[in-house]
Amino acid sequence: MSKKAQLITLSDEELIHDPELPCPTTAYLATLSASGARTQRTALNNLAYMFSAGEIDDATKFPWQNLRYEHSNSLPPHMLEIGYAKASVNKHLVALRRVLAEAYRLELFVDHNDYYRAVSVRSLRHESIPRGRKLEQSELETLVRACLAQTKNPALATRDATIISVLYATGMRRQELVTLNLADFDAREGKLRLIGKGSKQREVFISEDVVSAIEAWLAHRGKQLGPLFTRVSKSGKVLLKRLSAQAIYLVLQNRQKQADVAPFSPHDIRRTTITDMLSADVDVLTVSAIAGHASADTTRRYDKRGDESKREAAQKIRSPFKGN
């Protein structure tokens, strides 16, 4: 029988929290977007709970500067032992390294060597199966038709149809969509200005059809400055209040059920856009720039073309063997 992986936790004395010291958790989370901060806060709370043997479940009250290499090195095998996937373990390790880096910058480590050893724990090697699916063009068209069929609330119908059209046309993330303002829409040039991960700005061009869709929504919304996509009441009144990323998820979920298409995630529309652009022979660097990826390798992981495209590619290669 294999030996059970044991996590090395802090002692009671090491767990004493000094509220007068600067908080590395707060410093780290402040560098992230709202959605990223929520995710990493959960990860840090998990780590605080594990390293304190269940005594602390709030990462802001955990003394990160007391962790050493023996603690961080014992984390991956322990997390695997209790059922975490390798990808999830690596995400927790990223959070751990980042919060320790903030503790180091805040001069909470007495010996800098303790910090360098603690963050030296390596991520686990793994090959993940690509998640999600690609939507067919017919499914996207069915979703838009289902929206526009809601004639009792034309403002809501137009808004949702436009949201789906913009998401597919640009491959943008949900958070990027909800942060769009009216001022970010340039109808004459046919483009949108986005704020992506890490507050990086980029511009994406859109077709005349998508420009027309946005203008159709603006006929209901009006031209007041503020968020581009806003709330619409059940009675059809447009409220100049920004949608949340969760609201976009619910919009797509409701329209999926209404249109009776197979379930999909909001990110699947982004996967579909990237895959369709690559299928249309748009070079991967251009697709990467449109998607806001820091690396073309990230863009390639979104490619859902599958074996059929590989089979077609093989037929395009001329063989030197002529059959004789």
Side-chain angles (χ1 to χ4, degrees):
M1 182 180 294
S2 60
K3 185 178 179 181
K4 185 176 181 180
Q6 184 175 359
L7 179 68
I8 300 177
T9 58
L10 296 184
S11 67
D12 290 341
E13 289 183 357
E14 292 170 328
L15 287 174
I16 295 175
H17 171 65
D18 185 351
E20 297 300 321
L21 293 176
C23 179
T25 298
T26 302
Y28 167 44
L29 296 179
T31 67
L32 305 175
S33 65
S35 59
R38 284 193 298 270
T39 300
Q40 295 303 75
R41 182 186 297 276
T42 299
L44 291 175
N45 287 343
N46 290 341
L47 293 172
Y49 186 83
M50 286 187 277
F51 281 126
S52 67
E55 294 294 323
I56 299 174
D57 58 7
D58 182 351
T60 62
K61 294 180 173 59
F62 185 83
W64 298 101
Q65 66 275 12
N66 289 338
L67 289 178
R68 299 293 181 262
Y69 175 74
E70 58 267 25
H71 301 113
S72 58
N73 190 52
S74 69
L75 180 66
H78 171 73
M79 292 187 71
L80 290 175
E81 179 79 33
I82 61 178
Y84 280 88
K86 288 184 177 180
S88 184
V89 174
N90 287 340
K91 289 178 180 179
H92 280 75
L93 287 175
V94 169
L96 178 62
R97 295 190 194 99
R98 292 291 299 275
V99 76
L100 290 178
E102 292 298 335
Y104 177 72
R105 294 188 186 99
L106 293 170
E107 299 182 344
L108 298 179
F109 279 93
V110 176
D111 186 342
H112 69 273
N113 288 314
D114 289 333
Y115 160 71
Y116 286 114
R117 293 190 187 104
V119 297
S120 67
V121 59
R122 295 181 179 180
S123 296
L124 301 174
R125 296 183 61 182
H126 76 288
E127 293 291 334
S128 60
I129 299 174
R131 296 180 297 170
R133 74 176 185 93
K134 177 187 179 301
L135 278 73
E136 299 299 326
Q137 188 68 31
S138 59
E139 291 181 294
L140 292 166
E141 292 171 357
T142 299
L143 285 166
V144 171
R145 283 198 302 269
C147 295
L148 297 178
Q150 189 180 13
T151 55
K152 291 184 179 180
N153 194 337
L156 186 65
T158 305
R159 186 203 67 180
D160 291 358
T162 304
I163 284 174
I164 293 170
S165 300
V166 170
L167 283 174
Y168 173 67
T170 63
M172 70 174 69
R173 305 172 179 93
R174 276 187 296 161
Q175 189 60 42
E176 292 171 340
L177 181 83
V178 299
T179 56
L180 281 172
N181 292 313
L182 178 62
D184 296 321
F185 172 50
D186 187 334
R188 186 172 62 85
E189 294 292 331
K191 63 184 180 182
L192 292 165
R193 182 173 63 247
L194 309 181
I195 299 177
K197 286 186 175 181
S199 298
K200 294 180 180 178
Q201 293 191 13
R202 70 182 189 279
E203 292 183 336
V204 293
F205 290 90
I206 51 179
S207 68
E208 292 182 4
D209 288 343
V210 180
V211 170
S212 297
I214 296 176
E215 289 180 330
W217 156 240
L218 292 178
H220 295 281
R221 177 200 177 281
K223 297 296 180 69
Q224 308 97 314
L225 291 178
L228 180 59
F229 292 106
T230 65
R231 299 180 187 177
V232 178
S233 70
K234 291 182 179 180
S235 64
K237 183 179 180 180
V238 176
L239 308 172
L240 204 62
K241 295 182 179 180
R242 192 179 303 276
L243 293 170
S244 65
Q246 179 64 17
I248 300 300
Y249 176 87
L250 294 175
V251 165
L252 296 177
Q253 186 181 63
N254 290 336
R255 296 304 184 181
Q256 172 260 316
K257 293 176 180 177
Q258 181 185 347
D260 195 27
V261 302
F264 63 91
S265 72
H267 218 64
D268 285 339
I269 298 181
R270 179 169 165 84
R271 292 185 179 94
T272 301
T273 304
I274 292 172
T275 299
D276 286 353
M277 285 183 176
L278 293 173
S279 295
D281 294 327
V282 180
D283 70 272
V284 69
L285 291 178
T286 299
V287 178
S288 182
I290 293 171
H293 285 151
S295 166
D297 289 335
T298 303
T299 305
R300 292 187 182 96
R301 291 201 291 270
Y302 279 70
D303 191 352
K304 308 293 289 187
R305 284 176 289 182
D307 290 339
E308 188 58 37
S309 65
K310 297 174 185 176
R311 186 177 293 110
E312 292 175 1
Q315 299 305 317
K316 296 178 181 179
I317 302 299
R318 295 180 60 184
S319 171
F321 183 74
K322 301 299 182 181
N324 50 14

